Amino acid sequence: HIADIKRTVAIAHQMGIKVNIYLEDWSNGMKNSPEYVFALVDALKDEGIERFMLPDTLGVLNPDSTYSFASQMVERYPSLHFDFHPHNDYDLAVANVLAAVKAGIKGVHTTMNGLGERAGNAPLASVVASIHDHTNFKTNIVEQKINKVSRMVETYTGVHIPANKPVVGENVFTLCAGIHA
């Protein structure tokens, strides 16, 4: 398997193509077979791969496990660029992103309005607000423009934004008779 990956990466490099690696089901790999994950990355770390993507493919992680697993990767491979790709099956994707960022992950994958398979992915609006408000990190995202883009995506996809959706929902920051709606 590793030889096949190396061969494919070499062909891509010969063609002038930059390569990212997506470690499918990394979260379960770290839970059940970390030695396999480490053996794979050990074998590929010097192959000129731009980014190693660490997906929580089935959305099984929580913030503690995300922090632990992401820290292990960053500490073991400090020169590699890791991205974290969360799924929201337990409604923990945003919390898991914060844990990954605090562990040293350099990139995170988000979607507008959290769209994605099953329960979706981490919503961009919530991730940006959480990173800006709960960490010392900053993104290049202009928060004031997120709502407009969110509404546009709602229009094109037909997937409605719930009124109580954090950050972009209609009820956010509204008061009714002194009670937060």
Side-chain angles (χ1 to χ4, degrees):
H1 181 65
I2 290 171
D4 288 342
I5 295 169
K6 285 184 173 188
R7 200 168 21 259
T8 302
V9 169
I11 292 168
H13 287 310
Q14 288 171 0
M15 297 174 68
I17 299 171
K18 292 181 179 180
V19 176
N20 295 330
I21 293 283
Y22 188 90
L23 302 177
E24 183 69 29
D25 207 15
W26 167 80
S27 52
N28 273 312
M30 289 299 288
K31 285 174 86 170
N32 302 315
S33 186
E35 63 282 347
Y36 176 78
V37 174
F38 294 140
L40 184 61
V41 177
D42 285 344
L44 299 174
K45 66 182 166 89
D46 297 318
E47 295 299 313
I49 294 166
E50 299 281 320
R51 293 172 183 241
F52 286 77
M53 298 177 210
L54 310 176
D56 183 12
T57 305
L58 300 175
V60 298
L61 296 181
N62 62 53
D64 293 333
S65 56
T66 299
Y67 183 83
S68 173
F69 297 155
S71 292
Q72 289 176 55
M73 298 301 288
V74 170
E75 289 168 13
R76 186 171 175 135
Y77 308 102
S79 65
L80 298 183
H81 180 113
F82 291 109
D83 285 1
F84 179 63
H85 179 93
H87 282 262
N88 205 30
D89 296 72
Y90 286 98
D91 209 15
L92 292 170
V94 174
N96 289 344
V97 164
L98 283 179
V101 167
K102 288 179 179 180
I105 296 297
K106 295 177 183 165
V108 295
H109 296 189
T110 65
T111 63
M112 285 309 301
N113 303 336
L115 295 175
E117 62 188 13
R118 298 183 319 277
N121 298 96
L124 176 71
S126 297
V127 166
V128 169
S130 294
I131 288 173
H132 289 175
D133 293 349
H134 295 287
T135 73
N136 293 324
F137 301 107
K138 296 296 173 206
T139 70
N140 292 324
I141 304 294
V142 179
E143 288 184 66
Q144 295 79 3
K145 297 189 178 195
I146 291 176
N147 199 341
K148 181 178 180 181
V149 176
S150 176
R151 299 285 167 212
M152 182 175 62
V153 169
E154 177 186 43
T155 300
Y156 285 118
T157 63
V159 177
H160 298 291
I161 301 168
N164 65 342
K165 178 90 171 159
V167 184
V168 295
E170 289 179 29
N171 290 353
V172 174
F173 308 117
T174 61
L175 292 172
C176 296
I179 300 171
H180 292 276

